[in-house]
Amino acid sequence: SPPTRRSSDLTGRLLAAKYTRRGEHWRCGVWAADKSAQSPVVEVTAVIGNSPPTRPELRLDPPTPRSDRPLRCVIVARAQDPDRDSLQYRFRWYREGKLQAFSPDSVAVPIRLLKDGDAWRCGVVGFDGALEGAEGRSEQKKIASPTP
Protein backbone atom coordinates (compact mmCIF):
# COMPACT_ATOMS: atom_id res chain seq x y z
CA SER A 1 0.00 0.00 0.00
CA PRO A 2 1.17 3.57 -0.61
CA PRO A 3 2.84 5.42 2.25
CA THR A 4 0.85 7.74 4.47
CA ARG A 5 1.12 11.30 3.18
CA ARG A 6 1.15 14.41 5.32
CA SER A 7 -0.77 17.54 4.40
CA SER A 8 2.40 19.15 3.10
CA ASP A 9 3.01 16.27 0.63
CA LEU A 10 0.03 16.89 -1.65
CA THR A 11 -1.36 20.28 -2.47
CA GLY A 12 -3.78 21.65 -5.03
CA ARG A 13 -7.38 21.13 -5.99
CA LEU A 14 -6.99 17.73 -7.72
CA LEU A 15 -5.47 14.46 -6.57
CA ALA A 16 -3.77 12.65 -9.46
CA ALA A 17 -4.85 9.03 -9.99
CA LYS A 18 -1.24 7.84 -9.66
CA TYR A 19 -1.50 8.47 -5.90
CA THR A 20 -4.63 6.36 -5.41
CA ARG A 21 -5.70 2.74 -5.43
CA ARG A 22 -9.15 1.19 -5.59
CA GLY A 23 -10.74 0.84 -2.16
CA GLU A 24 -8.54 3.41 -0.39
CA HIS A 25 -10.13 5.92 1.97
CA TRP A 26 -8.91 9.50 1.54
CA ARG A 27 -9.48 12.51 3.77
CA CYS A 28 -8.97 16.08 2.63
CA GLY A 29 -8.89 19.08 4.95
CA VAL A 30 -8.95 22.76 4.06
CA TRP A 31 -8.71 25.94 6.08
CA ALA A 32 -8.18 29.62 5.57
CA ALA A 33 -5.47 31.59 7.31
CA ASP A 34 -3.87 34.99 7.29
CA LYS A 35 -1.22 36.59 9.48
CA SER A 36 -3.54 36.96 12.44
CA ALA A 37 -6.06 34.09 12.41
CA GLN A 38 -6.86 30.63 11.10
CA SER A 39 -10.31 29.16 10.43
CA PRO A 40 -11.35 25.74 11.68
CA VAL A 41 -10.39 22.84 9.41
CA VAL A 42 -13.20 21.46 7.25
CA GLU A 43 -12.74 17.85 6.17
CA VAL A 44 -14.33 15.56 3.62
CA THR A 45 -13.67 11.86 3.09
CA ALA A 46 -13.90 9.76 -0.06
CA VAL A 47 -13.45 6.13 -1.04
CA ILE A 48 -11.67 5.42 -4.31
CA GLY A 49 -14.15 3.49 -6.44
CA ASN A 50 -13.90 1.31 -9.51
CA SER A 51 -15.26 1.81 -13.01
CA PRO A 52 -15.86 -1.04 -15.44
CA PRO A 53 -13.90 -1.23 -18.70
CA THR A 54 -15.45 0.03 -21.93
CA ARG A 55 -16.85 -2.27 -24.62
CA PRO A 56 -14.28 -3.66 -27.11
CA GLU A 57 -14.99 -3.74 -30.87
CA LEU A 58 -14.75 -7.13 -32.58
CA ARG A 59 -14.82 -8.87 -35.93
CA LEU A 60 -14.80 -12.47 -37.08
CA ASP A 61 -11.93 -13.82 -39.18
CA PRO A 62 -12.10 -14.94 -41.90
CA PRO A 63 -14.72 -12.45 -43.14
CA THR A 64 -16.50 -15.27 -44.98
CA PRO A 65 -16.30 -18.20 -42.57
CA ARG A 66 -16.10 -21.73 -43.96
CA SER A 67 -16.34 -25.10 -42.29
CA ASP A 68 -12.77 -26.04 -43.29
CA ARG A 69 -11.01 -23.21 -41.37
CA PRO A 70 -11.06 -22.16 -37.71
CA LEU A 71 -13.22 -19.14 -36.91
CA ARG A 72 -11.34 -16.48 -34.92
CA CYS A 73 -12.52 -13.57 -32.81
CA VAL A 74 -10.37 -10.49 -33.43
CA ILE A 75 -10.34 -7.45 -31.15
CA VAL A 76 -10.36 -4.44 -33.49
CA ALA A 77 -10.51 -1.76 -30.76
CA ARG A 78 -9.39 -2.70 -27.26
CA ALA A 79 -11.48 -1.98 -24.17
CA GLN A 80 -10.28 0.94 -22.07
CA ASP A 81 -10.31 1.07 -18.29
CA PRO A 82 -11.19 4.53 -16.88
CA ASP A 83 -9.11 3.71 -13.77
CA ARG A 84 -6.15 2.58 -15.90
CA ASP A 85 -6.30 -0.93 -14.41
CA SER A 86 -4.69 -3.66 -16.52
CA LEU A 87 -7.26 -5.76 -18.37
CA GLN A 88 -7.83 -9.39 -19.18
CA TYR A 89 -10.18 -10.36 -22.00
CA ARG A 90 -12.85 -13.02 -21.63
CA PHE A 91 -14.15 -14.53 -24.86
CA ARG A 92 -17.65 -15.93 -25.37
CA TRP A 93 -18.95 -17.83 -28.37
CA TYR A 94 -22.58 -18.03 -29.52
CA ARG A 95 -23.93 -20.59 -32.02
CA GLU A 96 -27.43 -19.88 -33.30
CA GLY A 97 -27.71 -17.23 -30.54
CA LYS A 98 -26.94 -19.65 -27.70
CA LEU A 99 -23.89 -19.27 -25.46
CA GLN A 100 -21.50 -22.20 -25.92
CA ALA A 101 -19.44 -23.82 -23.14
CA PHE A 102 -15.99 -22.59 -24.21
CA SER A 103 -13.09 -21.56 -22.01
CA PRO A 104 -13.01 -17.75 -21.56
CA ASP A 105 -9.60 -17.63 -23.25
CA SER A 106 -10.85 -19.37 -26.45
CA VAL A 107 -10.13 -16.98 -29.29
CA ALA A 108 -11.23 -19.46 -31.99
CA VAL A 109 -13.82 -22.12 -32.77
CA PRO A 110 -12.15 -25.34 -33.89
CA ILE A 111 -12.97 -26.72 -37.34
CA ARG A 112 -14.62 -29.83 -35.87
CA LEU A 113 -17.42 -27.65 -34.39
CA LEU A 114 -18.15 -25.62 -37.54
CA LYS A 115 -21.12 -26.96 -39.49
CA ASP A 116 -22.38 -25.60 -42.81
CA GLY A 117 -25.23 -23.14 -42.26
CA ASP A 118 -24.68 -22.59 -38.53
CA ALA A 119 -24.62 -18.94 -37.44
CA TRP A 120 -21.78 -17.88 -35.09
CA ARG A 121 -20.71 -14.72 -33.35
CA CYS A 122 -18.24 -13.92 -30.60
CA GLY A 123 -18.46 -11.70 -27.56
CA VAL A 124 -15.65 -10.27 -25.46
CA VAL A 125 -15.61 -8.46 -22.14
CA GLY A 126 -12.73 -6.62 -20.51
CA PHE A 127 -12.08 -7.60 -16.89
CA ASP A 128 -10.09 -5.31 -14.55
CA GLY A 129 -9.68 -7.81 -11.71
CA ALA A 130 -12.93 -6.75 -10.04
CA LEU A 131 -15.48 -5.77 -12.70
CA GLU A 132 -16.38 -6.95 -16.18
CA GLY A 133 -17.21 -4.28 -18.74
CA ALA A 134 -20.01 -4.37 -21.29
CA GLU A 135 -19.75 -7.17 -23.83
CA GLY A 136 -18.53 -6.27 -27.30
CA ARG A 137 -20.13 -8.44 -29.99
CA SER A 138 -19.09 -9.35 -33.48
CA GLU A 139 -21.49 -9.51 -36.37
CA GLN A 140 -23.19 -12.90 -36.66
CA LYS A 141 -22.00 -14.91 -39.68
CA LYS A 142 -23.22 -18.14 -41.29
CA ILE A 143 -20.70 -20.87 -41.95
CA ALA A 144 -20.30 -21.65 -45.66
CA SER A 145 -19.30 -24.94 -47.28
CA PRO A 146 -15.66 -25.28 -48.29
CA THR A 147 -14.99 -24.23 -51.86
CA PRO A 148 -14.01 -27.09 -54.18
Side-chain angles (χ1 to χ4, degrees):
S1 71
T4 302
R5 300 189 196 327
R6 291 185 296 275
S7 61
S8 60
D9 293 340
L10 301 171
T11 60
R13 296 183 312 165
L14 298 176
L15 177 63
K18 69 181 181 180
Y19 294 114
T20 67
R21 289 200 178 123
R22 177 183 18 209
E24 286 182 333
H25 293 254
W26 280 80
R27 186 176 66 217
C28 176
V30 296
W31 63 93
D34 62 17
K35 292 180 183 180
S36 61
Q38 178 176 320
S39 72
V41 175
V42 176
E43 290 186 342
V44 64
T45 59
V47 177
I48 304 302
N50 187 27
S51 300
T54 61
R55 179 188 324 263
E57 293 180 27
L58 313 172
R59 71 174 165 78
L60 292 176
D61 186 53
T64 305
R66 298 185 341 204
S67 59
D68 63 344
R69 292 190 221 160
L71 182 61
R72 299 192 184 286
C73 187
V74 178
I75 298 174
V76 177
R78 299 176 69 81
Q80 302 296 314
D81 189 79
D83 308 313
R84 288 180 252 154
D85 295 328
S86 62
L87 296 179
Q88 298 173 351
Y89 290 98
R90 295 178 173 175
F91 290 79
R92 298 171 180 163
W93 286 96
Y94 299 85
R95 180 173 53 196
E96 300 297 330
K98 294 184 180 119
L99 181 63
Q100 301 300 297
F102 282 49
S103 168
D105 60 352
S106 295
V107 299
V109 178
I111 294 170
R112 65 182 167 73
L113 297 177
L114 298 174
K115 307 292 182 229
D116 297 352
D118 279 354
W120 283 87
R121 73 174 164 79
C122 68
V124 175
V125 295
F127 177 65
D128 69 4
L131 292 176
E132 283 188 348
E135 183 181 71
R137 292 184 176 178
S138 71
E139 183 179 347
Q140 182 168 284
K141 301 258 183 161
K142 287 219 179 244
I143 305 300
S145 299
T147 53

